[in-house]
Amino acid sequence: MAREVRYRRRALSMTSLIDVIFLLLLFFMLSSTFSKFAEVELAGVGGQGAGAGDQTLFLQITPDTLRLNTAALDIKALSGRLTEILADSESKLLLSLSGDVTSQRLTDVLVVLRAQPKLTLSILAPS
C-alpha cells in the first residue's frame, strides 16, 4: 500500500523579501534621472545708479494681471510691450509681487523678462 505523504507548512521567511525590496529600491534610485525643469537666475541689487539715458520701469505681478507702469497687460503681451519700450535704450525694471502670487506665475514672468537683453531686473522685497 502506498503511504500518503503529508507536507508540513513552514513559516515564510521575510529576510529574502526584504532583500528583494531593498535591491529594487536601490535600482530605481540609481536609474532615475534628476533633470532640472527650469532654472531662473536671480541677482541681488547692486549699488549702481541709473545712467542719463536709462529709464526705470515698474512691473506689478498679481495672480490675475500684470501692470507695467500702471497699464494692465497679459503675460503674452508683456514681451511685445517691453520690446517697444526697450528699442533704443537700456532700462531698469522694478518687480513687485502681491502676497498671493504663486511661484509658477513668478517663473513664467521671469522667463519673459529674461529674454530682454537690455533689461536690468530688481525684485522688490515685501515690507
Side-chain angles (χ1 to χ4, degrees):
M1 284 200 191
R3 192 170 193 198
E4 198 173 308
V5 180
R6 290 188 176 179
Y7 292 103
R8 195 176 75 175
R9 286 189 163 181
R10 293 185 356 194
L12 184 63
S13 174
M14 295 300 278
T15 305
S16 60
L17 183 64
I18 292 171
D19 289 343
V20 169
I21 291 173
F22 177 72
L23 288 173
L24 286 172
L25 179 68
L26 190 64
F27 170 75
F28 286 118
M29 284 175 53
L30 294 176
S31 65
S32 63
T33 59
F34 300 101
S35 61
K36 293 181 181 179
F37 188 41
E39 185 175 304
V40 177
E41 182 181 327
L42 297 176
V45 177
Q48 300 173 353
D54 292 351
Q55 59 180 336
T56 302
L57 303 171
F58 183 75
L59 179 66
Q60 181 182 16
I61 302 176
T62 62
D64 302 326
T65 61
L66 299 172
R67 294 194 177 276
L68 181 63
N69 292 342
T70 69
L73 289 173
D74 188 50
I75 194 165
K76 296 174 185 173
L78 179 62
S79 179
R81 182 71 180 123
L82 285 173
T83 304
E84 292 173 12
I85 293 172
L86 302 174
D88 55 347
S89 66
E90 293 187 9
S91 293
K92 181 177 184 180
L93 184 110
L94 299 175
L95 186 65
S96 173
L97 305 172
S98 68
D100 48 350
V101 172
T102 62
S103 59
Q104 182 62 50
R105 174 93 167 146
L106 175 61
T107 303
D108 292 341
V109 171
L110 289 175
V111 167
V112 171
L113 296 176
R114 199 73 177 141
Q116 302 292 331
K118 296 182 180 181
L119 191 65
T120 304
L121 178 66
S122 298
I123 299 176
L124 301 176
S127 55

